[in-house]
Amino acid sequence: MNSTLAALLGSAITAFASLFVVLVQDRLRRRHRERADLQRAYILILSGALRLAHKAEALRQTKYWRSGLGEVGNELLGGHRPLGPMVLHDWLAKDMVTVEAAWSEIWISGDQDGIALANGLMTAFNGVLEAAVGASGTEPFEAPDEMVVASRRLGEARGQLALHARRVAKLGPRDVDLFTDREYGLAAG
């Protein structure tokens, strides 16, 4: 009976150990998947905000080259309908869907700093959009001061969020200069 009890006890220990290993592996896989989803959200919000800022700049430049907001719609959308608020919304919404989903993922899974930085990025993007829409259309091709300041703020917000994402993901060196003048492989001019 001793050998039977020892065999049962050994089997129970082996079963519990196996179950423990499976649970730990499952938890590690889930944490890895959550971290990868959060990292993907950081990437999508960073790239989406930049893409939307390019759209805002295109809107501003188009206002300069065309006369009035109604004419901008013809150029941007390829049609002959005036650019009303809903048409502009739909044009921007194509990229906003991705940004909003990424922002929501950061709100769900991110830490307090990541959430604050993502909120700051979206505030900075709204500043760029306001500056672009608020442009009179009579400015020269160079951006007015409001657009330059708003674009700079957006760049700084993107940089701060990118550095935070690097820290959270523990990717590469954490103390890097994202706005460097140093470019490799280019001949000095």
Side-chain angles (χ1 to χ4, degrees):
M1 184 102 138
N2 254 349
S3 63
T4 305
L5 186 58
L8 285 174
L9 185 60
S11 294
I13 290 171
T14 301
F16 283 121
S18 297
L19 180 61
F20 178 74
V21 167
V22 167
L23 290 174
V24 167
Q25 286 176 339
D26 184 55
R27 183 172 182 195
L28 290 173
R29 273 193 298 273
R30 187 176 64 248
R31 288 176 74 193
H32 177 74
R33 187 174 52 249
E34 288 169 355
R35 181 174 276 159
D37 289 347
L38 181 59
Q39 192 65 22
R40 193 171 17 266
Y42 283 129
I43 291 167
L44 290 174
I45 197 170
L46 287 166
S47 63
L50 184 60
R51 191 170 43 257
L52 286 164
H54 287 298
K55 279 189 167 186
E57 176 60 16
L59 175 63
R60 187 193 70 78
Q61 288 181 20
T62 303
K63 282 178 73 175
Y64 173 71
W65 292 107
R66 304 286 289 194
S67 60
L69 193 57
E71 294 289 325
V72 173
N74 294 340
E75 186 71 25
L76 291 176
L77 304 171
H80 293 289
R81 60 183 184 231
L83 181 59
M86 292 309 296
V87 175
L88 179 60
H89 170 271
D90 291 346
W91 181 63
L92 291 171
K94 292 175 187 175
D95 290 315
M96 280 302 295
V97 169
T98 302
V99 171
E100 290 166 346
W103 194 11
S104 298
E105 176 70 29
I106 292 168
W107 275 22
I108 297 294
S109 303
D111 62 5
Q112 188 63 60
D113 289 337
I115 292 167
L117 291 167
N119 291 348
L121 176 67
M122 294 311 297
T123 299
F125 162 70
N126 285 330
V128 169
L129 187 58
E130 275 182 34
V133 171
S136 68
T138 61
E139 296 94 354
F141 186 72
E142 289 189 22
D145 290 342
E146 297 83 24
M147 191 70 176
V148 171
V149 169
S151 295
R152 228 177 247 136
R153 284 186 182 143
L154 178 65
E156 290 168 2
R158 287 184 74 244
Q160 289 173 357
L161 185 60
L163 289 174
H164 178 75
R166 291 171 68 95
R167 280 190 297 276
V168 168
K170 298 179 174 106
L171 291 174
R174 295 184 199 126
D175 190 23
V176 296
D177 182 9
L178 297 175
F179 298 105
T180 181
D181 291 329
R182 179 198 233 161
E183 296 181 15
Y184 294 103
L186 298 177

